[in-house]
Amino acid sequence: MLQPNIIIIGSGIAGLSCALRIADHQPDWKIQIITKKTARTSNTRYAQGGIAAVMDTLNDTPEKHIQDTLLSGKGKCDENVVRYVVENAAACIHELIRYGVPFDRKPSGALSLGLEGGHSYPRILHVKDYTGFAIERVLLNQVKKRPNILMYTHIHAIELGVTNKQSDGVYALDTRNKSMVFLSSDAIVIATGGSGQVFEVTTNPTVSTGDGVAMACRAGAETKYMQYFQFHPTALYKSKGRQKFLISEAVRGYGAYLVNSRGERFMNRYDKRGELATRDIVSSAIFRELDMSGENSVFIDCRHLKYKEFSSQFPEIVATCLKYGYDVRKDLIPVVPAAHYQCGGISVDINGQTKIRGLYAIGECSYTGLHGTNRLASNSLLEALVFSATASEHILAHTKAQKHKKPDGLPHYHYISPISLTRYTLPLRRWMMESFRSLDDKERTQTYINRINEIEIQVRERFADGVFPALTELYNMLAVAHIILSEALNPKE
Ligand code: SIN
């Protein structure tokens, strides 16, 4: 009998955990994970802080987590979704523990729970300061044990095939063989992560180019709240390359201070929660301080913290700071806000399904209603887990095997050798950075949209000569930038 074939695009926490759930319930189904680089290349592995969940039920309550999430989202969260995610959190954490994720524990054996901005109680599960990396490693090992999950690396999805509002496959670049492929499927799960690479300064890896959002929109899905891009307040100012190294919020949760160039703690002037206000408030306070001082960065001050305990909790951060010449025992660490998390995304229902049948979106690329205008710290891995579970249940209940053919109307590209695209990417990222801080200025935002339109036209014309990965990524980044600015201009309720 013909068995359903599921394609999952992306190998971060959302894609891997969705694949595992489907594989375990239906060992005869074929689940293909496609990812544009290696299996390990994803945003998940850079999530330092952890996962928020109410595990200390003696002192914490789901209601407190719900209220913290609603407060952080500033009245724009969907309360039903917030309740659903928070109430399903503990079950997902237990599943991760069963898979083998080694969350830090106290000498008593109880989970060690950290504090982060906007949380009224310490509820962040972590594995030192490399939580995402540890989870990714465990999930990948689990995937390897399931013969019905096939991992295809270096397959770069570029268009979704949709016929009669039903998804039926993915058109992709095989970047090893330098060829085009069409992969048919009975359900598609987009789990491609975020789009921080649209901005000049970001904590996101180079793969975060918004491919899922752009492809889904071209296929007819909708987006919501894309204008709410979260800037993480504390990226290491001096990091090399396109991805800034993150100094986890958990460092401030642990007791580090933020100081300006005069050595003054300034956060209490902006919010009574001080350094542990929500990220939007801390980032905008830092931008204000920088505007006033004309300096390039503010600083994290860890000098008063007990080094032995601190370095055991944050080994990567301590080592990376040292690599850049900062000894946390005696130096102030220069930090700046950096584009970190796409709070909006592809609109999905409570099953993770878009308005196209058989097309799902989970994780950062999706908009579920959990985050509102500003995601609460460490709610993102949680959302990815809960929605991968709910989407997998829906897929298991509603997917039927069908015979597919390559849909009409998909473009026939050919693969060409890459050329430099910096003449487009540099201005795009600079404009997005400039426009982000003045999204309320409609005239200015429209000017940036017009500029992006002009580049989009030039880039689309290039497709006639052929495609290569960086070109399709640029095309997707332009589409995402366009959506971010257009939703700022005409907000959706
Ligand atoms: C952090 O550790 O500060 C980042 C985790 C998150 O984005 O929630």
Side-chain angles (χ1 to χ4, degrees):
M1 199 177 84
L2 195 59
Q3 294 288 352
N5 169 18
I6 314 298
I7 289 185
I8 297 176
I9 313 173
S11 59
I13 185 172
L16 298 179
S17 41
C18 186
L20 287 169
R21 282 173 179 267
I22 300 172
D24 286 349
H25 283 86
Q26 285 290 359
D28 295 333
W29 289 21
K30 181 168 151 195
I31 300 121
Q32 303 177 76
I33 303 177
I34 62 171
T35 180
K36 65 180 175 178
K37 291 268 168 65
T38 66
R40 280 166 184 268
T41 322
S42 76
N43 216 351
T44 298
R45 72 192 301 259
Y46 300 100
Q48 295 177 350
I51 308 187
V54 174
M55 304 304 284
D56 174 3
T57 47
L58 281 181
N59 299 299
D60 194 11
T61 62
E63 195 55 37
K64 284 189 203 157
H65 189 184
I66 290 166
Q67 292 310 323
D68 293 344
T69 303
L70 293 172
L71 193 66
S72 182
K74 297 207 164 49
K76 296 278 188 186
C77 306
D78 179 333
E79 186 167 340
N80 290 332
V81 172
V82 175
R83 289 187 178 278
Y84 178 76
V85 171
V86 169
E87 282 161 10
N88 283 286
C92 290
I93 298 297
H94 287 303
E95 173 104 286
L96 285 185
I97 294 172
R98 265 197 306 281
Y99 285 148
V101 176
F103 288 118
D104 291 343
R105 292 184 181 268
K106 298 183 201 161
S108 66
L111 286 162
S112 157
L113 301 168
L115 184 64
E116 288 185 358
H119 288 273
S120 55
Y121 190 77
R123 61 171 75 99
I124 315 300
L125 289 102
H126 49 85
V127 182
K128 305 282 182 201
D129 56 356
Y130 44 79
T131 312
F133 178 83
I135 295 174
E136 180 80 11
R137 189 165 53 187
V138 167
L139 294 182
L140 281 171
N141 281 339
Q142 291 291 335
V143 160
K144 278 192 200 135
K145 292 183 191 161
R146 309 303 191 273
N148 58 335
I149 305 181
L150 306 169
M151 172 74 72
Y152 295 110
T153 64
H154 301 92
I155 301 291
H156 179 19
I158 56 171
E159 297 294 353
L160 302 171
V162 173
T163 313
N164 300 329
K165 294 210 170 154
Q166 162 79 46
S167 73
D168 50 9
V170 178
Y171 195 40
L173 288 169
D174 177 338
T175 59
R176 278 218 177 108
N177 294 327
K178 303 202 178 340
S179 61
M180 305 295 308
V181 286
F182 180 73
L183 306 164
S184 67
S185 67
D186 300 303
I188 298 173
V189 181
I190 307 176
T192 48
S195 55
Q197 285 290 324
V198 166
F199 293 90
E200 195 169 36
V201 182
T202 180
T203 61
N204 289 185
T206 54
V207 287
S208 299
T209 49
D211 303 343
V213 170
M215 279 188 294
C217 285
R218 289 197 289 272
E222 284 170 2
T223 55
K224 193 165 176 188
Y225 287 0
M226 285 290 290
Q227 72 273 38
Y228 299 120
F229 215 100
Q230 181 172 78
F231 272 57
H232 195 293
T234 56
L236 185 62
Y237 173 60
K238 286 240 167 108
S239 336
K240 280 206 194 89
R242 289 250 349 103
Q243 180 182 10
K244 292 240 174 265
F245 181 76
L246 187 67
I247 308 288
S248 174
E249 182 141 348
V251 168
R252 279 174 283 129
Y254 193 87
Y257 304 144
L258 272 173
V259 297
N260 59 22
S261 52
R262 293 190 301 279
E264 298 162 354
R265 282 180 77 182
F266 56 85
M267 270 315 301
N268 287 330
R269 279 195 267 119
Y270 296 90
D271 193 286
K272 62 177 187 316
R273 292 168 292 184
E275 279 88 353
L276 288 177
T278 49
R279 285 185 189 165
D280 52 339
I281 293 170
V282 182
S283 289
S284 97
I286 294 176
F287 280 131
R288 279 286 300 278
E289 291 291 310
L290 297 181
D291 284 347
M292 286 187 307
S293 68
E295 304 277 344
N296 291 324
S297 74
V298 294
F299 302 88
I300 286 198
D301 187 353
C302 307
R303 294 172 302 179
H304 55 291
L305 301 172
K306 288 200 177 98
Y307 179 73
K308 200 161 163 247
E309 285 87 3
F310 182 78
S311 58
S312 137
Q313 173 103 15
F314 302 105
E316 287 244 333
I317 291 174
V318 169
T320 306
C321 287
L322 208 53
K323 193 177 104 194
Y324 283 99
Y326 305 107
D327 181 339
V328 296
R329 282 172 291 197
K330 46 185 195 331
D331 298 320
L332 294 174
I333 316 300
V335 289
V336 283
H340 181 63
Y341 190 84
Q342 177 192 290
C343 295
I346 306 161
S347 298
V348 293
D349 61 19
I350 195 73
N351 301 308
Q353 192 172 218
T354 67
K355 65 178 207 170
I356 298 169
R357 273 192 321 281
L359 181 65
Y360 298 79
I362 53 176
E364 186 173 349
C365 65
S366 68
Y367 180 75
T368 63
L370 177 68
H371 306 311
T373 67
N374 177 58
R375 172 179 66 93
L376 183 64
S378 287
N379 264 357
S380 50
L381 296 181
L382 176 63
E383 182 194 48
L385 283 177
V386 173
F387 270 85
S388 65
T390 170
S392 65
E393 276 162 29
H394 197 262
I395 290 168
L396 286 160
H398 293 89
T399 310
K400 298 213 170 14
Q402 288 170 39
K403 287 218 158 62
H404 300 270
K405 64 176 181 54
K406 183 174 166 189
D408 299 331
L410 273 182
H412 296 280
Y413 300 128
H414 66 279
Y415 201 111
I416 53 168
S417 301
I419 53 159
S420 166
L421 297 169
T422 49
R423 90 188 80 155
Y424 305 118
T425 52
L426 291 181
L428 168 69
R429 289 170 171 144
R430 200 180 57 243
W431 298 337
M432 287 307 286
M433 210 67 193
E434 287 165 8
S435 64
F436 182 76
R437 294 193 55 202
S438 57
L439 284 178
D440 291 340
D441 182 340
K442 303 234 173 232
E443 207 173 309
R444 217 171 127 96
T445 304
Q446 186 59 57
T447 308
Y448 286 113
I449 293 179
N450 296 345
R451 290 182 187 172
I452 288 168
N453 277 344
E454 282 166 27
I455 307 193
E456 265 182 313
I457 294 168
Q458 293 172 38
V459 169
R460 207 172 309 123
E461 280 168 359
R462 286 193 158 274
F463 275 62
D465 300 331
V467 296
F468 53 93
L471 183 67
T472 61
E473 285 180 333
L474 170 62
Y475 190 50
N476 291 336
M477 286 194 288
L478 288 162
V480 168
H482 202 144
I483 298 167
I484 292 173
L485 299 186
S486 302
E487 290 195 13
L489 213 52
N490 300 300
K492 295 179 181 168
E493 268 323 303

CSV table of all heavy atoms in Angstrom, one decimal, residues 171-221:
chain,number,residue,atom,x,y,z
A,171,TYR,N,10.3,22.3,-4.8
A,171,TYR,CA,11.2,22.4,-5.9
A,171,TYR,C,12.5,22.9,-5.3
A,171,TYR,O,12.5,23.9,-4.5
A,171,TYR,CB,10.7,23.5,-6.9
A,171,TYR,CG,11.3,23.6,-8.2
A,171,TYR,CD1,11.7,22.4,-8.9
A,171,TYR,CD2,11.5,24.8,-8.8
A,171,TYR,CE1,12.2,22.5,-10.2
A,171,TYR,CE2,12.0,24.9,-10.1
A,171,TYR,CZ,12.4,23.8,-10.8
A,171,TYR,OH,13.0,23.9,-12.0
A,172,ALA,N,13.6,22.3,-5.5
A,172,ALA,CA,14.8,22.6,-4.7
A,172,ALA,C,16.1,22.6,-5.6
A,172,ALA,O,16.1,21.9,-6.6
A,172,ALA,CB,15.0,21.6,-3.6
A,173,LEU,N,17.1,23.3,-5.0
A,173,LEU,CA,18.5,23.2,-5.6
A,173,LEU,C,19.2,22.1,-4.9
A,173,LEU,O,19.3,22.2,-3.7
A,173,LEU,CB,19.2,24.5,-5.4
A,173,LEU,CG,18.8,25.8,-6.1
A,173,LEU,CD1,19.6,27.0,-5.5
A,173,LEU,CD2,19.2,25.6,-7.6
A,174,ASP,N,19.8,21.2,-5.6
A,174,ASP,CA,20.7,20.2,-5.0
A,174,ASP,C,22.1,20.8,-5.1
A,174,ASP,O,22.7,20.8,-6.2
A,174,ASP,CB,20.6,18.9,-5.8
A,174,ASP,CG,21.5,17.8,-5.2
A,174,ASP,OD1,22.5,18.2,-4.6
A,174,ASP,OD2,21.3,16.7,-5.5
A,175,THR,N,22.6,21.4,-4.0
A,175,THR,CA,23.8,22.2,-4.2
A,175,THR,C,25.1,21.4,-4.3
A,175,THR,O,26.1,22.0,-4.6
A,175,THR,CB,23.9,23.3,-3.0
A,175,THR,OG1,23.9,22.5,-1.8
A,175,THR,CG2,22.7,24.2,-3.0
A,176,ARG,N,25.0,20.1,-4.0
A,176,ARG,CA,26.2,19.3,-4.2
A,176,ARG,C,26.3,18.9,-5.7
A,176,ARG,O,27.3,19.0,-6.3
A,176,ARG,CB,26.1,18.0,-3.4
A,176,ARG,CG,26.5,18.3,-2.0
A,176,ARG,CD,27.3,17.1,-1.5
A,176,ARG,NE,27.8,17.3,-0.1
A,176,ARG,CZ,27.3,16.8,1.0
A,176,ARG,NH1,26.3,15.9,0.9
A,176,ARG,NH2,27.9,17.0,2.1
A,177,ASN,N,25.1,18.5,-6.3
A,177,ASN,CA,25.2,18.1,-7.7
A,177,ASN,C,24.9,19.2,-8.6
A,177,ASN,O,24.9,19.0,-9.8
A,177,ASN,CB,24.1,17.0,-7.9
A,177,ASN,CG,24.4,15.7,-7.2
A,177,ASN,OD1,25.6,15.4,-7.0
A,177,ASN,ND2,23.4,15.0,-6.7
A,178,LYS,N,24.7,20.4,-8.1
A,178,LYS,CA,24.4,21.6,-8.9
A,178,LYS,C,23.3,21.3,-9.9
A,178,LYS,O,23.4,21.5,-11.1
A,178,LYS,CB,25.7,22.1,-9.6
A,178,LYS,CG,26.8,22.4,-8.6
A,178,LYS,CD,27.8,23.3,-9.2
A,178,LYS,CE,28.9,23.7,-8.3
A,178,LYS,NZ,28.8,23.6,-6.9
A,179,SER,N,22.2,20.8,-9.4
A,179,SER,CA,21.0,20.5,-10.3
A,179,SER,C,19.7,20.9,-9.6
A,179,SER,O,19.7,21.2,-8.4
A,179,SER,CB,21.0,19.0,-10.6
A,179,SER,OG,20.9,18.3,-9.4
A,180,MET,N,18.6,20.9,-10.3
A,180,MET,CA,17.3,21.2,-9.7
A,180,MET,C,16.6,19.9,-9.5
A,180,MET,O,16.7,19.0,-10.3
A,180,MET,CB,16.5,22.0,-10.7
A,180,MET,CG,17.2,23.3,-11.2
A,180,MET,SD,17.4,24.5,-9.9
A,180,MET,CE,15.8,24.6,-9.2
A,181,VAL,N,15.8,19.8,-8.4
A,181,VAL,CA,15.0,18.6,-8.2
A,181,VAL,C,13.6,19.0,-7.7
A,181,VAL,O,13.4,20.0,-7.1
A,181,VAL,CB,15.7,17.7,-7.0
A,181,VAL,CG1,16.9,17.0,-7.5
A,181,VAL,CG2,16.0,18.5,-5.8
A,182,PHE,N,12.7,18.1,-8.1
A,182,PHE,CA,11.3,18.3,-7.5
A,182,PHE,C,11.0,17.1,-6.6
A,182,PHE,O,11.1,15.9,-7.0
A,182,PHE,CB,10.2,18.4,-8.6
A,182,PHE,CG,8.9,18.6,-8.0
A,182,PHE,CD1,8.5,19.8,-7.5
A,182,PHE,CD2,8.0,17.5,-8.0
A,182,PHE,CE1,7.3,19.9,-6.9
A,182,PHE,CE2,6.7,17.7,-7.4
A,182,PHE,CZ,6.4,18.9,-6.8
A,183,LEU,N,10.7,17.4,-5.4
A,183,LEU,CA,10.4,16.3,-4.4
A,183,LEU,C,8.9,16.4,-4.1
A,183,LEU,O,8.4,17.3,-3.5
A,183,LEU,CB,11.2,16.6,-3.1
A,183,LEU,CG,12.7,16.7,-3.3
A,183,LEU,CD1,13.3,17.4,-2.1
A,183,LEU,CD2,13.4,15.4,-3.6
A,184,SER,N,8.2,15.3,-4.4
A,184,SER,CA,6.8,15.3,-4.2
A,184,SER,C,6.5,14.9,-2.7
A,184,SER,O,7.3,14.2,-2.1
A,184,SER,CB,6.0,14.4,-5.2
A,184,SER,OG,6.4,13.1,-4.9
A,185,SER,N,5.3,15.3,-2.2
A,185,SER,CA,5.1,14.9,-0.8
A,185,SER,C,3.6,15.1,-0.5
A,185,SER,O,2.9,15.8,-1.3
A,185,SER,CB,5.8,15.8,0.2
A,185,SER,OG,5.3,17.1,0.0
A,186,ASP,N,3.1,14.4,0.5
A,186,ASP,CA,1.7,14.5,0.9
A,186,ASP,C,1.4,15.6,1.9
A,186,ASP,O,0.3,16.0,2.1
A,186,ASP,CB,1.2,13.1,1.4
A,186,ASP,CG,1.4,12.1,0.3
A,186,ASP,OD1,0.8,12.3,-0.7
A,186,ASP,OD2,2.1,11.1,0.6
A,187,ALA,N,2.5,16.0,2.6
A,187,ALA,CA,2.4,17.1,3.5
A,187,ALA,C,3.8,17.7,3.6
A,187,ALA,O,4.8,17.0,3.6
A,187,ALA,CB,1.9,16.7,4.9
A,188,ILE,N,3.8,19.0,3.8
A,188,ILE,CA,5.1,19.8,3.9
A,188,ILE,C,5.1,20.5,5.2
A,188,ILE,O,4.1,21.2,5.5
A,188,ILE,CB,5.3,20.7,2.7
A,188,ILE,CG1,5.3,20.0,1.4
A,188,ILE,CG2,6.6,21.6,2.9
A,188,ILE,CD1,5.3,20.9,0.2
A,189,VAL,N,6.2,20.5,5.9
A,189,VAL,CA,6.3,21.2,7.1
A,189,VAL,C,7.5,22.2,6.9
A,189,VAL,O,8.6,21.8,6.7
A,189,VAL,CB,6.6,20.3,8.4
A,189,VAL,CG1,6.7,21.2,9.6
A,189,VAL,CG2,5.6,19.2,8.5
A,190,ILE,N,7.2,23.5,7.0
A,190,ILE,CA,8.2,24.5,6.9
A,190,ILE,C,8.8,24.7,8.3
A,190,ILE,O,8.0,25.1,9.2
A,190,ILE,CB,7.7,25.8,6.3
A,190,ILE,CG1,7.0,25.6,5.0
A,190,ILE,CG2,8.8,26.8,6.1
A,190,ILE,CD1,6.4,26.8,4.4
A,191,ALA,N,10.0,24.5,8.5
A,191,ALA,CA,10.6,24.7,9.8
A,191,ALA,C,12.0,25.4,9.6
A,191,ALA,O,13.0,24.9,10.0
A,191,ALA,CB,10.8,23.4,10.5
A,192,THR,N,12.0,26.5,8.8
A,192,THR,CA,13.2,27.1,8.3
A,192,THR,C,13.8,28.1,9.2
A,192,THR,O,14.8,28.7,8.8
A,192,THR,CB,12.9,27.7,6.9
A,192,THR,OG1,11.7,28.5,7.0
A,192,THR,CG2,12.7,26.6,5.9
A,193,GLY,N,13.2,28.4,10.4
A,193,GLY,CA,13.8,29.4,11.3
A,193,GLY,C,13.5,30.8,10.8
A,193,GLY,O,12.5,31.1,10.1
A,194,GLY,N,14.4,31.7,11.2
A,194,GLY,CA,14.1,33.2,11.1
A,194,GLY,C,14.8,33.8,9.9
A,194,GLY,O,15.2,33.2,9.0
A,195,SER,N,14.9,35.2,10.1
A,195,SER,CA,15.4,35.9,8.9
A,195,SER,C,16.3,37.1,9.4
A,195,SER,O,16.3,38.1,8.7
A,195,SER,CB,14.2,36.5,8.2
A,195,SER,OG,13.3,37.2,9.1
A,196,GLY,N,17.0,36.9,10.5
A,196,GLY,CA,17.9,37.9,11.0
A,196,GLY,C,18.9,38.5,10.0
A,196,GLY,O,19.4,39.6,10.2
A,197,GLN,N,19.2,37.6,9.0
A,197,GLN,CA,20.2,38.1,8.0
A,197,GLN,C,19.8,39.2,7.2
A,197,GLN,O,20.6,39.8,6.4
A,197,GLN,CB,20.7,36.9,7.2
A,197,GLN,CG,21.6,35.9,7.9
A,197,GLN,CD,23.0,36.4,8.1
A,197,GLN,OE1,23.5,37.2,7.3
A,197,GLN,NE2,23.5,36.1,9.3
A,198,VAL,N,18.5,39.6,7.3
A,198,VAL,CA,18.0,40.8,6.6
A,198,VAL,C,18.6,42.0,7.2
A,198,VAL,O,18.6,43.1,6.5
A,198,VAL,CB,16.5,40.7,6.7
A,198,VAL,CG1,15.8,42.0,6.3
A,198,VAL,CG2,15.9,39.6,5.9
A,199,PHE,N,19.1,42.0,8.4
A,199,PHE,CA,19.6,43.2,9.1
A,199,PHE,C,21.2,43.1,9.1
A,199,PHE,O,21.8,42.1,9.1
A,199,PHE,CB,19.1,43.2,10.5
A,199,PHE,CG,17.6,43.4,10.6
A,199,PHE,CD1,16.8,42.3,10.6
A,199,PHE,CD2,17.1,44.7,10.7
A,199,PHE,CE1,15.4,42.5,10.7
A,199,PHE,CE2,15.7,44.9,10.8
A,199,PHE,CZ,14.9,43.8,10.8
A,200,GLU,N,21.7,44.3,9.2
A,200,GLU,CA,23.2,44.5,9.2
A,200,GLU,C,23.8,43.8,10.4
A,200,GLU,O,24.9,43.2,10.4
A,200,GLU,CB,23.5,46.0,9.2
A,200,GLU,CG,24.9,46.3,8.9
A,200,GLU,CD,25.0,47.9,8.6
A,200,GLU,OE1,24.3,48.6,9.3
A,200,GLU,OE2,25.8,48.2,7.7
A,201,VAL,N,23.1,44.0,11.6
A,201,VAL,CA,23.7,43.4,12.8
A,201,VAL,C,22.7,42.4,13.4
A,201,VAL,O,21.6,42.7,13.7
A,201,VAL,CB,23.9,44.6,13.9
A,201,VAL,CG1,24.5,44.0,15.2
A,201,VAL,CG2,24.7,45.7,13.4
A,202,THR,N,23.2,41.1,13.4
A,202,THR,CA,22.3,40.1,13.9
A,202,THR,C,23.1,39.0,14.6
A,202,THR,O,24.3,38.8,14.4
A,202,THR,CB,21.6,39.4,12.7
A,202,THR,OG1,20.8,38.4,13.1
A,202,THR,CG2,22.6,38.8,11.6
A,203,THR,N,22.3,38.3,15.5
A,203,THR,CA,22.9,37.1,16.2
A,203,THR,C,22.6,35.8,15.4
A,203,THR,O,23.1,34.8,15.8
A,203,THR,CB,22.2,36.9,17.5
A,203,THR,OG1,20.8,36.7,17.3
A,203,THR,CG2,22.3,38.1,18.5
A,204,ASN,N,21.9,35.9,14.3
A,204,ASN,CA,21.5,34.7,13.5
A,204,ASN,C,22.6,34.3,12.6
A,204,ASN,O,23.3,35.1,12.0
A,204,ASN,CB,20.3,35.0,12.7
A,204,ASN,CG,19.0,35.2,13.4
A,204,ASN,OD1,17.9,35.4,12.8
A,204,ASN,ND2,19.0,35.2,14.8
A,205,PRO,N,22.7,32.9,12.4
A,205,PRO,CA,23.7,32.4,11.5
A,205,PRO,C,23.3,32.8,10.0
A,205,PRO,O,22.2,33.2,9.8
A,205,PRO,CB,23.6,30.9,11.7
A,205,PRO,CG,22.2,30.7,12.2
A,205,PRO,CD,21.8,31.9,13.0
A,206,THR,N,24.3,32.5,9.1
A,206,THR,CA,24.1,33.0,7.8
A,206,THR,C,22.9,32.3,7.0
A,206,THR,O,22.4,32.8,6.0
A,206,THR,CB,25.4,32.8,6.9
A,206,THR,OG1,25.8,31.5,7.1
A,206,THR,CG2,26.5,33.7,7.4
A,207,VAL,N,22.5,31.2,7.6
A,207,VAL,CA,21.3,30.5,6.9
A,207,VAL,C,20.0,31.1,7.2
A,207,VAL,O,19.0,30.8,6.5
A,207,VAL,CB,21.3,29.0,7.4
A,207,VAL,CG1,22.4,28.2,6.8
A,207,VAL,CG2,21.2,28.8,8.9
A,208,SER,N,19.9,32.1,8.1
A,208,SER,CA,18.6,32.6,8.5
A,208,SER,C,18.2,33.7,7.6
A,208,SER,O,18.3,34.9,7.9
A,208,SER,CB,18.7,33.2,9.9
A,208,SER,OG,19.0,32.1,10.8
A,209,THR,N,17.8,33.3,6.4
A,209,THR,CA,17.5,34.3,5.3
A,209,THR,C,16.0,34.3,5.0
A,209,THR,O,15.6,34.8,3.9
A,209,THR,CB,18.3,34.0,4.0
A,209,THR,OG1,18.1,32.6,3.7
A,209,THR,CG2,19.8,34.3,4.2
A,210,GLY,N,15.2,33.8,5.9
A,210,GLY,CA,13.7,33.9,5.7
A,210,GLY,C,13.1,33.1,4.6
A,210,GLY,O,12.1,33.4,4.0
A,211,ASP,N,13.8,32.0,4.2
A,211,ASP,CA,13.4,31.3,3.0
A,211,ASP,C,12.0,30.8,3.1
A,211,ASP,O,11.2,30.8,2.2
A,211,ASP,CB,14.3,30.1,2.7
A,211,ASP,CG,15.8,30.5,2.6
A,211,ASP,OD1,16.0,31.7,2.3
A,211,ASP,OD2,16.6,29.6,2.7
A,212,GLY,N,11.6,30.2,4.3
A,212,GLY,CA,10.3,29.6,4.5
A,212,GLY,C,9.2,30.7,4.4
A,212,GLY,O,8.2,30.4,3.7
A,213,VAL,N,9.4,31.8,5.0
A,213,VAL,CA,8.4,32.9,4.9
A,213,VAL,C,8.2,33.3,3.4
A,213,VAL,O,7.1,33.4,2.9
A,213,VAL,CB,8.8,34.1,5.8
A,213,VAL,CG1,7.9,35.3,5.5
A,213,VAL,CG2,8.8,33.7,7.2
A,214,ALA,N,9.3,33.5,2.8
A,214,ALA,CA,9.2,34.0,1.4
A,214,ALA,C,8.5,33.0,0.5
A,214,ALA,O,7.7,33.3,-0.3
A,214,ALA,CB,10.6,34.3,0.9
A,215,MET,N,8.9,31.7,0.6
A,215,MET,CA,8.4,30.6,-0.2
A,215,MET,C,6.9,30.5,0.0
A,215,MET,O,6.1,30.3,-0.9
A,215,MET,CB,9.0,29.3,0.1
A,215,MET,CG,10.3,29.1,-0.6
A,215,MET,SD,10.9,27.4,-0.4
A,215,MET,CE,11.2,27.3,1.3
A,216,ALA,N,6.5,30.5,1.3
A,216,ALA,CA,5.1,30.3,1.7
A,216,ALA,C,4.3,31.4,1.1
A,216,ALA,O,3.2,31.2,0.6
A,216,ALA,CB,5.0,30.2,3.2
A,217,CYS,N,4.8,32.7,1.2
A,217,CYS,CA,4.0,33.8,0.7
A,217,CYS,C,3.8,33.6,-0.8
A,217,CYS,O,2.8,33.9,-1.4
A,217,CYS,CB,4.7,35.1,1.0
A,217,CYS,SG,4.5,35.5,2.7
A,218,ARG,N,4.9,33.2,-1.5
A,218,ARG,CA,4.8,33.1,-3.0
A,218,ARG,C,3.8,32.0,-3.3
A,218,ARG,O,3.1,32.0,-4.3
A,218,ARG,CB,6.1,32.7,-3.6
A,218,ARG,CG,7.1,33.9,-3.6
A,218,ARG,CD,8.3,33.7,-4.6
A,218,ARG,NE,9.2,32.7,-4.2
A,218,ARG,CZ,10.3,32.9,-3.4
A,218,ARG,NH1,10.5,34.1,-2.9
A,218,ARG,NH2,11.1,31.9,-3.0
A,219,ALA,N,3.6,31.0,-2.4
A,219,ALA,CA,2.7,29.9,-2.7
A,219,ALA,C,1.3,30.3,-2.2
A,219,ALA,O,0.3,29.5,-2.4
A,219,ALA,CB,3.1,28.7,-1.9
A,220,GLY,N,1.1,31.4,-1.6
A,220,GLY,CA,-0.3,31.9,-1.3
A,220,GLY,C,-0.6,31.9,0.2
A,220,GLY,O,-1.8,32.1,0.6
A,221,ALA,N,0.3,31.5,1.1
A,221,ALA,CA,0.1,31.6,2.5
A,221,ALA,C,0.1,33.1,3.0
A,221,ALA,O,0.6,33.9,2.2
A,221,ALA,CB,1.1,30.7,3.3
